Amino acid sequence: MTIKQTLLAGIALVSSATVCSQTVAISPVPQSIKWGVKAFDCPKSVTISGASAADPDAVSALLARFPESKNGVKITIGELGDKAVNSVASLIPQHAEGYYINIDKDGVIIAGADEVGTYYGVQTFLALASQPEVMSVEITDWPATSNRGVVEGFYGNAWSHANRLSQFDFYGANKLNTYIYGPKDDPYHREKWRETYPVEEAQRLKELTEAAARNKVNFVWSIHPAGDHSWAEDDNRAIVNKFEQLYNLGVRTFAVFFDDVFGKQADGKKHAETMNYVLTHFVKRHPDVDGLIMCPSLYNKAWAPSFQDSYLEDISVIDPSVKIMWTGNSVVDLINVDDLEWINPRIGREAFIWLNYPVSDYCVNHLLMGPTFGNDPEATAMVSGFTANPMEYAEASKVSIYSLADFLWHPETYDADISWEQAVATLMPGHEDAFRSFCIYNIDLGQNAHRLRRLNESPAFKTLIDKYEDEMSGGYSREGADALRKEFTTMVYAATELLGSESNRPLIDEITPWIEAFRLQGERGLASIDMYEALADSADHRFMEAYKKYATLTDSASHITSRNFPGSIKVAYPMVGTLYAEPYLRRSVARMEQAYRSISDYGLENFPTLPVENGNYLIMHAKSYLGNPEAGGEGGSPLFQKQEDNVNPDRQIWRLTYVPQTMGYSIVNAKDGRYLTEKATFGTDPFDIEIHTFTITQNGDGFVISNKANSRTTVWTVDANGKIVPSRDTKSGDVITLIPVK
């Protein structure tokens, strides 16, 4: 049986009389696993040999699950060199954090290469013993990547104390050994970096370091001084003083972040001096401090042209014991071999990866709940560590973190889809199907500034619209209507099941706004099918009732928020199914609205009133005309011109067309047919209705024109030269006059 077959068997928990009837999917996937026949039933108790010399956290984890008794299943436990496991010493892998397990009818041997390995061996045994029957098995295992884990480094609402405690338990169970504390909006990490933590907050940090240690997680505390560091010794001393406080709270690994600062604060020479100062005056004075990590200002390849040519060379002189973080080819990128072949020689060491996934602080309306894929397996051998930046939604982030642990432990056998299926089953036992249905519609990031997309969202729904949408838009298809109704019903049932589940309440409570949006999307879909069937039957009243229901549900969905509490740093407006389901709904309802208008006058007042009717317009500002002075050319920008164009008037005429899918307008020049982009330039890329349409809002006798692209809303302002300058200050939009051209 291959590893993939074993995993699938574990996920399905297939019951049969075969040898592997009670095999279980182990995550992370072990380096070597050999199954045998049934050894014994799931233990009711255990009797332990070697506990006094073995890692105490490993023994505690074992006894937390099974009580000890004389008649319990015999377990022998210990580390390499312990007398209890001498008989298998030659079988223990010679790798840090490695372990050996043997289970047969006579009992269990758990032998670690070190204390962490013993602890991980216990975690694997607990997974093996989760089934009614425990199978004979021999496992030899160790991690392929030395430092594996999470960097809490996002902008927005930081994780709570309870979130972090839950994370450490999760990391221990899934063999992740690194957590870097660096939430951008913790004032004592960044804004108040010179100040020590108050007593209560310091006590919470001490609790975190202790909880992390119990789970064999290295708690790394980071400071972010670069926003206003003076580069004088006083500020370097302030870093050391802060580290001393954290050292006394139990922290043994530290980091200094210089990310997201520019100009004079992004000075590689000063950064190197600061790191070497901290190394000399803090790290070397504490023999038990386990290293130093740095995040540079130039932390991705795409930014290299914007920095001094010498920046990477300047920081390469930092003591080689210091690990330097890297995000890849760009801020948000998957990690590939080429990335590391470029950066490693320039910094004179193996990069320490900061993977910006599944972080969503730049696409806050989305949850990223899909499979984790795209990182090169070979890249893990070229790094000094690999951490992922998660979402501010700690429980939801576990879907991706679970797979990250799997990937980093044994990258050669990593299967993103199988690992994702296991994560779904692990996080919502008993409700796997409902949770999977929800996650499938929360995969893509939508249009965003970093242009990372995940096109594997809702594949079954995409299959349906590929098969039926053209047919349904041109006539009636009973088969298509039934198929879509079934899918929308599944969405509603899945959401309802999750909202009522007690299986993992912290997770459900955290993502409830998205589940509600998912439920409403399913109900809106059902209403759209009712509209479709009523239209086919020429049933005006039925159609309008279904339309009003759809409109009411759509309005309800638009008012759902997440983290909308006093003091919240970021408020999200949950969006689901944005790659296929939501655009389909908008397209189909827009088509049906148009078709209905052509055959009936009943209830038309229920349709939205357009702020501007489709047609040709002069677009004016302060008695100037928006024109296309380079009509017929490539690139360029429109300009507001004082004089009316009497030679080529079409250069100042613009076709405005309402796009129901975005509830905005496309703006196209009548002379050469070129469209305006979100940057108020002429488009050369393929037209994208999601980012190249504009919202037109009434403002007195005129209008304000805005665009929402890449998760950022901008409004038109006009500079002294007549050029449109999109502004992110949405209150500063200039009033534009639209004059119909008949």
Side-chain angles (χ1 to χ4, degrees):
M1 177 176 283
T2 66
I3 290 174
K4 189 166 185 176
Q5 289 169 329
T6 301
L7 289 172
L8 289 170
I11 294 165
L13 298 181
V14 178
S15 295
S16 70
T18 65
V19 167
C20 293
S21 62
Q22 292 293 326
T23 59
V24 61
I26 307 299
S27 182
V29 177
Q31 301 291 338
S32 171
I33 183 167
K34 300 175 183 177
W35 293 103
V37 297
K38 174 184 173 181
F40 45 78
D41 292 330
C42 180
K44 294 182 179 178
S45 62
V46 296
T47 178
I48 304 177
S49 298
S52 60
D55 174 61
D57 295 321
V59 175
S60 295
L62 190 59
L63 293 176
R65 178 76 67 87
F66 302 111
E68 194 168 15
S69 74
K70 292 181 180 180
N71 297 321
V73 170
K74 181 181 177 182
I75 296 181
T76 302
I77 189 169
E79 287 84 56
L80 183 65
D82 289 354
K83 182 178 178 181
V85 294
N86 273 346
S87 64
V88 295
S90 63
L91 300 174
I92 301 172
Q94 302 297 303
H95 297 274
E97 302 182 346
Y99 65 90
Y100 171 80
I101 289 179
N102 186 279
I103 299 177
D104 59 28
K105 61 184 179 59
D106 296 322
V108 179
I109 297 175
I110 303 173
D114 49 32
E115 291 185 339
V116 176
T118 304
Y119 180 83
Y120 287 162
V122 167
Q123 295 299 326
T124 295
F125 171 71
L126 295 178
L128 293 166
S130 65
Q131 300 304 305
E133 296 179 351
V134 179
M135 307 302 294
S136 296
V137 68
E138 185 178 31
I139 297 175
T140 307
D141 201 11
W142 64 89
T145 313
S146 56
N147 298 294
R148 315 168 303 281
V150 169
V151 50
E152 185 186 341
F154 51 81
Y155 292 88
N157 299 295
W159 284 349
S160 69
H161 189 67
N163 285 156
R164 294 179 184 124
L165 292 174
S166 174
Q167 288 284 315
F168 297 156
D169 289 341
F170 190 74
Y171 301 165
N174 290 279
K175 306 183 180 74
L176 290 170
N177 65 3
T178 303
Y179 164 79
I180 303 177
Y181 180 97
K184 288 291 189 291
D185 293 296
D186 170 10
Y188 295 97
H189 161 72
R190 192 166 59 142
E191 180 185 351
K192 298 180 180 180
W193 64 269
R194 295 177 181 86
E195 301 178 27
T196 56
Y197 279 99
V199 174
E200 289 187 7
E201 294 196 39
Q203 180 58 36
R204 283 195 288 271
L205 283 169
K206 182 176 175 58
E207 292 174 12
L208 291 176
T209 63
E210 292 171 349
R214 287 194 300 271
N215 287 282
K216 306 305 181 188
V217 175
N218 185 21
F219 185 102
V220 183
W221 190 84
S222 70
I223 193 168
H224 195 301
D228 62 352
H229 196 295
S230 65
W231 312 121
E233 184 168 358
D234 285 351
D235 273 355
N236 285 337
R237 171 53 57 185
I239 296 174
V240 170
N241 290 341
K242 191 69 163 280
F243 282 0
E244 291 288 0
Q245 183 194 28
L246 275 298
Y247 177 87
N248 291 330
L249 297 175
V251 178
R252 291 297 180 268
T253 308
F254 296 81
V256 183
F257 287 179
F258 299 106
D259 57 316
D260 298 343
V261 296
F262 306 95
K264 66 178 183 179
Q265 293 303 107
D267 186 323
K269 287 186 172 66
K270 297 298 184 183
H271 295 176
E273 290 172 5
T274 298
M275 295 304 297
N276 285 330
Y277 181 96
V278 173
L279 194 71
T280 299
H281 292 84
F282 175 73
V283 175
K284 292 183 178 179
R285 293 183 179 181
H286 294 285
D288 58 340
V289 166
D290 184 25
L292 200 57
I293 300 171
M294 172 200 185
C295 183
S297 298
L298 175 53
Y299 57 79
N300 70 89
K301 185 179 178 181
W303 284 5
S306 302
F307 279 75
Q308 293 180 358
D309 292 342
S310 64
Y311 183 90
L312 293 177
E313 181 181 347
D314 291 340
I315 66 171
S316 71
V317 303
I318 295 171
D319 188 284
S321 67
V322 176
K323 297 177 176 65
I324 297 178
M325 304 190 85
W326 191 251
T327 68
N329 248 348
S330 59
V331 177
V332 179
D333 185 31
L334 287 311
I335 305 302
N336 306 122
V337 168
D338 290 348
D339 303 342
L340 297 165
E341 289 178 340
W342 188 88
I343 186 58
N344 285 353
R346 286 170 169 80
I347 58 176
R349 68 206 72 201
E350 293 180 329
F352 190 104
I353 297 303
W354 174 320
L355 176 72
N356 274 318
Y357 186 87
V359 65
S360 59
D361 55 7
Y362 60 96
C363 55
V364 296
N365 299 326
H366 295 258
L367 287 181
L368 307 185
M369 308 293 284
T372 299
F373 62 92
N375 298 296
D376 284 351
E378 299 83 2
T380 59
M382 304 169 68
V383 302
S384 58
F386 199 119
T387 53
N389 195 10
M391 297 181 280
E392 74 171 70
Y393 300 91
E395 295 299 317
S397 294
K398 289 179 179 177
V399 171
S400 185
I401 294 171
Y402 182 101
S403 290
L404 178 78
D406 200 4
F407 171 73
L408 294 176
W409 188 273
H410 198 178
E412 293 84 359
T413 59
Y414 176 70
D415 185 302
D417 292 329
I418 289 179
S419 186
W420 178 72
E421 288 281 0
Q422 286 180 241
V424 167
T426 299
L427 291 170
M428 283 301 296
H431 302 278
E432 297 94 329
D433 290 344
F435 190 46
R436 184 187 301 106
S437 294
F438 169 78
C439 290
I440 282 170
Y441 282 86
N442 289 274
I443 291 179
D444 188 46
L445 298 80
Q447 295 287 347
N448 63 84
H450 298 297
R451 306 198 183 278
L452 177 66
R453 302 301 299 269
R454 285 296 198 238
L455 304 182
N456 56 328
E457 185 176 274
S458 55
F461 190 92
K462 183 179 186 302
T463 298
L464 291 178
I465 59 176
D466 287 348
K467 183 176 182 179
Y468 296 116
E469 184 173 9
D470 286 348
E471 181 182 357
M472 293 176 71
S473 62
Y476 183 73
S477 168
R478 164 60 63 188
E479 184 179 342
D482 288 347
L484 284 164
R485 184 181 292 279
K486 181 179 179 181
E487 181 65 15
F488 288 128
T489 300
T490 297
M491 294 165 66
V492 174
Y493 283 174
T496 302
E497 179 180 335
L498 292 175
L499 290 171
S501 168
E502 295 299 326
S503 179
N504 186 346
R505 206 59 227 176
L507 171 61
I508 297 302
D509 290 344
E510 187 179 76
I511 64 175
T512 285
W514 276 269
I515 301 176
E516 289 283 10
F518 180 55
R519 179 181 62 81
L520 289 174
Q521 190 171 71
E523 291 184 355
R524 289 165 60 220
L526 292 174
S528 76
I529 299 301
D530 290 341
M531 291 168 59
Y532 176 73
E533 292 180 333
L535 190 63
D537 293 340
S538 299
D540 297 7
H541 288 75
R542 245 174 62 212
F543 178 91
M544 194 51 62
E545 286 305 308
Y547 176 81
K548 288 191 288 185
K549 181 177 181 180
Y550 175 87
T552 298
L553 293 168
T554 301
D555 182 67
S556 296
S558 72
H559 289 91
I560 298 174
T561 60
S562 176
R563 305 288 166 102
N564 188 15
F565 53 80
S568 177
I569 296 169
K570 286 194 174 186
V571 178
Y573 297 86
M575 302 173 69
V576 301
T578 53
L579 191 60
Y580 300 117
E582 186 63 28
Y584 168 77
L585 282 176
R586 293 186 183 185
R587 289 194 304 270
S588 63
V589 170
R591 282 195 300 266
M592 289 187 287
E593 178 186 332
Q594 185 176 4
Y596 181 84
R597 286 177 184 269
S598 69
I599 63 173
S600 178
D601 294 329
Y602 173 75
L604 294 184
E605 68 278 5
N606 292 297
F607 290 139
T609 302
L610 302 184
V612 178
E613 294 297 324
N614 290 345
N616 294 325
Y617 290 84
L618 296 174
I619 300 177
M620 301 191 66
H621 172 259
K623 299 182 180 180
S624 294
Y625 301 84
L626 185 65
N628 179 6
E630 300 178 23
E634 295 183 2
S637 304
L639 289 174
F640 279 98
Q641 303 165 317
K642 296 293 185 183
Q643 299 297 320
E644 187 172 4
D645 192 332
N646 294 317
V647 178
N648 287 293
D650 282 354
R651 292 189 298 192
Q652 291 180 343
I653 295 176
W654 303 86
R655 176 71 180 174
L656 272 59
T657 304
Y658 184 67
V659 182
Q661 294 95 313
T662 64
M663 293 177 284
Y665 290 81
S666 63
I667 302 177
V668 175
N669 184 250
K671 177 65 177 177
D672 61 9
R674 292 194 296 166
Y675 66 89
L676 291 189
T677 74
E678 72 277 15
K679 297 179 181 178
T681 57
F682 286 108
T684 55
D685 296 331
F687 184 81
D688 187 330
I689 62 172
E690 292 294 328
I691 64 175
H692 294 147
T693 56
F694 300 84
T695 301
I696 300 178
T697 308
Q698 189 85 36
N699 186 328
D701 293 332
F703 300 89
V704 172
I705 299 178
S706 61
N707 173 267
K708 184 173 183 180
N710 301 321
S711 302
R712 298 176 180 176
T713 300
T714 58
V715 297
W716 280 14
T717 62
V718 184
D719 68 13
N721 297 316
K723 185 177 180 180
I724 299 168
V725 181
S727 170
R728 294 186 65 183
D729 180 3
T730 55
K731 296 181 180 179
S732 68
D734 287 333
V735 176
I736 305 296
T737 302
L738 300 175
I739 301 175
V741 177
K742 302 297 186 182

